[in-house]
Amino acid sequence: MIYTVTFNPALDYVVNVNHFTLGQVNRTVGEHIFYGGKGINVSALLANLGYESVALGFVAGFTGDEIERGVKRLGFCSDFIHVKRGMSRINVKLKSDQESEINGMGPEITDGDVGELFGKLEGLMEGDVLVLSGSIPASIEPDIYERIMARLDGRGVRIAVDAEKDLLLNVLCYHPFLIKPNNHELGQMFGVELEGEEEIAAYARRLQERGARNVLVSMAGDGALLVTEDGQVLRQGVAKGVVKNSVGAGDSMVAGFLAGYLETGDYGYALKLGTACGGATAFSDGIGTKDEIMRLLATL
């Protein structure tokens, strides 16, 4: 089974306003609600490909109830922990002449809530896949990724981690199956500005030297680069299309990569499918559909 963890899921309320003016009443010309959170995005893309997964994490209040209903409609199962204090976030994303965001705080997560999550993770076994992605709420200790991976160390669980800088660097000693920085995040980890694929590959190998098994680097319009655990450096050009939405594209790439690898055991195919999935989401208003993914895959 594939499990995803979203520590701070949200309802993303996306509004379109023509020429937003501060201090005045503005009327929307378009409104959408999406179920937000990096782990939720991964599970949604997997569902579109026909793969089952279980979404874990924390929800609270009426917004948490709606997130639970929403993920069911998206086609995957959840086993969220219900937090007593606060409510799940509503993130307002304003699209006008400029884009602006107001992100909610999320609920207060206690040590007992975290302990309940650890109890659910105890059921993972050899061959399962766990996806840890996104930022950590202020009410959770920042070493939570490390604690989870330490608890599961040696069990044969394949763990994918998609997080920034220290959150990612601190878990490398637990040998994650996959990590996915983008090229800018990779440079920030080492305090350098990377120029060209050779430099990107060299610094990806440095993450391998610190413990990562496979390093997938997304490079926006330049495609993606994968340094595999067996020493290959694979490059994949970007899918062609008009970008409508960057939210969830990286999560979709992770989901597609995992699905491709689980299906074939072939890193080259996993990289292609991951790239097609990332493109399908970037070229859509929401998470990419299977039809769009397959169409793009055929062009790569």
Side-chain angles (χ1 to χ4, degrees):
M1 179 57 71
I2 303 171
Y3 297 86
T4 64
V5 178
T6 304
F7 289 99
N8 209 1
L11 296 178
D12 289 341
Y13 180 46
V14 182
V15 295
N16 299 83
V17 177
N18 290 334
H19 311 301
F20 175 80
T21 305
L22 191 66
Q24 295 188 14
V25 174
N26 294 266
R27 306 290 182 185
T28 65
V29 296
E31 302 177 13
H32 297 89
I33 291 180
F34 298 102
Y35 302 96
K38 292 177 71 64
I40 287 175
N41 294 336
V42 171
S43 283
L45 193 287
L46 287 169
N48 288 353
L49 286 176
Y51 282 80
E52 293 184 4
S53 69
V54 177
L56 303 173
F58 304 97
V59 294
F62 76 98
T63 44
D65 293 340
E66 177 56 27
I67 289 170
E68 278 196 313
R69 286 191 292 267
V71 300
K72 189 176 295 184
R73 289 195 293 271
L74 290 173
F76 57 93
C77 297
S78 67
D79 191 13
F80 292 124
I81 293 159
H82 288 256
V83 176
K84 294 179 181 178
R85 298 177 183 174
M87 69 178 194
S88 294
R89 300 182 295 165
I90 299 175
N91 296 335
V92 180
K93 301 180 185 295
L94 170 65
K95 296 190 175 185
S96 187
D97 302 317
Q98 294 180 312
E99 292 193 10
S100 303
E101 297 188 16
I102 303 174
N103 288 347
M105 295 185 300
E108 182 181 339
I109 300 166
T110 66
D111 289 343
D113 298 324
V114 173
E116 192 173 342
L117 174 64
F118 274 99
K120 294 180 184 295
L121 293 173
E122 284 296 324
L124 272 65
M125 60 187 68
E126 184 172 1
D128 286 339
V129 176
L130 176 65
V131 181
L132 300 173
S133 55
S135 59
I136 307 300
S139 56
I140 297 181
E141 292 296 325
D143 65 350
I144 185 67
Y145 279 15
E146 298 162 69
R147 291 162 57 198
I148 288 172
M149 294 184 69
R151 184 77 65 93
L152 296 175
D153 195 31
R155 294 196 189 183
V157 177
R158 294 191 184 103
I159 301 179
V161 181
D162 182 7
E164 295 182 0
K165 205 167 181 180
D166 290 343
L167 280 178
L168 184 59
L169 290 172
N170 291 341
V171 301
L172 296 180
C173 60
Y174 296 107
H175 309 292
F177 172 74
L178 176 71
I179 60 173
K180 195 212 73 63
N182 63 41
N183 55 325
H184 300 296
E185 292 167 342
L186 179 60
Q188 288 168 3
M189 290 176 196
F190 294 98
V192 298
E193 187 170 335
L194 300 178
E195 297 182 5
E197 292 184 358
E198 293 305 316
E199 278 197 1
I200 291 171
Y203 279 90
R205 286 194 188 94
R206 290 179 66 172
L207 294 181
Q208 275 190 324
E209 291 167 2
R210 294 179 64 168
R213 290 173 57 186
N214 298 287
V215 183
L216 174 60
V217 184
S218 55
M219 303 183 297
D222 294 322
L225 180 146
L226 174 68
V227 179
T228 71
E229 60 185 329
D230 55 9
Q232 300 179 75
V233 178
L234 305 177
R235 296 168 175 82
Q236 179 59 58
V238 70
K240 303 298 182 183
V242 177
V243 175
K244 294 183 179 180
N245 159 50
S246 61
V247 176
D251 309 320
S252 298
M253 176 176 278
V254 170
F257 180 92
L258 293 172
Y261 182 79
L262 292 172
E263 180 183 342
T264 66
D266 179 83
Y267 285 124
Y269 176 75
L271 178 59
K272 279 192 174 185
L273 184 58
T275 301
C277 290
T281 292
F283 307 151
S284 306
D285 289 323
I287 297 297
T289 64
K290 184 173 184 179
D291 286 347
E292 179 67 359
I293 292 166
M294 293 299 108
R295 184 187 71 78
L296 293 178
L297 182 62
T299 69
L300 296 175

